[in-house]
Amino acid sequence: MALHLIKLCVGVDSIEELEADVANRLARARREGMATEQTHTTRMTPTRVDEIISGGSLYWVIKGQVQVRQPILAIRPFTDGEGIKRCHIVLQPALVRTAWQPRRAFQGWRYFKPEDAPCDIADAASGEERLPPDLRRELMELGLL
């Protein structure tokens, strides 16, 4: 069974903003003749790489809610120019919307067990995903969703 990662999407207020950021980074890479793959750089390298790359995803927490995930294609450790060990998490650029799940702030990434992960929107039975994000967030904070 695949293992996932979960991380705060700092500085992003919506899924649409994340989608635009991904598109902009890929377009810039194309213009500069670089590899057109989406990577997220992090300082800590996961030790359970085989479990993660066998179908795992990076779940993004946006504004206190898990809202979207991206399948993980590879994890590439490297040492930067200052001698600091880091890693690139290579992500599929397509975002998969998920049912919202509240999550408190934390630093870095965490392992995320499949049984704890929210289902994809396509699999969600309710129509709540059609609500505007601000209304949806407010209803969740009031305990109505």
Side-chain angles (χ1 to χ4, degrees):
M1 183 176 279
L3 182 64
H4 306 295
L5 298 177
I6 185 170
K7 185 162 185 4
L8 298 181
C9 198
V10 179
V12 172
D13 291 331
S14 69
I15 296 171
E16 293 75 20
E17 192 175 328
L18 179 58
E19 287 172 329
D21 184 54
V22 169
N24 290 338
R25 287 175 190 239
L26 293 175
R28 184 177 57 222
R30 274 188 219 95
R31 282 192 310 272
E32 296 175 2
M34 300 172 69
T36 54
E37 64 182 12
Q38 185 198 355
T39 61
H40 178 74
T41 304
T42 183
R43 179 146 184 196
M44 301 303 292
T45 301
T47 57
R48 300 169 68 182
V49 173
D50 290 339
E51 293 173 80
I52 295 167
I53 61 172
S54 66
S57 290
L58 177 60
Y59 283 78
W60 290 110
V61 178
I62 301 172
K63 304 280 284 188
Q65 301 284 335
V66 175
Q67 296 185 31
V68 67
R69 70 178 178 86
Q70 289 182 271
I72 298 173
L73 303 175
I75 295 177
R76 297 185 189 133
F78 71 98
T79 303
D80 69 12
E82 298 175 3
I84 299 171
K85 292 184 179 185
R86 300 189 183 279
C87 108
H88 287 305
I89 301 172
V90 182
L91 302 166
Q92 189 176 75
L95 301 175
V96 179
R97 294 169 189 261
T98 66
W100 283 20
Q101 184 183 79
R103 194 59 64 163
R104 292 185 187 269
F106 57 92
Q107 288 188 320
W109 54 263
R110 300 282 185 265
Y111 291 115
F112 199 36
K113 296 178 191 171
E115 59 268 19
D116 296 334
C119 62
D120 294 347
I121 288 291
D123 299 337
S126 73
E128 69 187 52
E129 66 276 0
R130 291 186 291 267
L131 293 173
D134 290 338
L135 176 60
R136 191 170 169 192
R137 186 175 294 105
E138 189 173 335
L139 289 172
M140 288 189 83
E141 287 171 0
L142 293 171
L144 299 173
L145 284 181

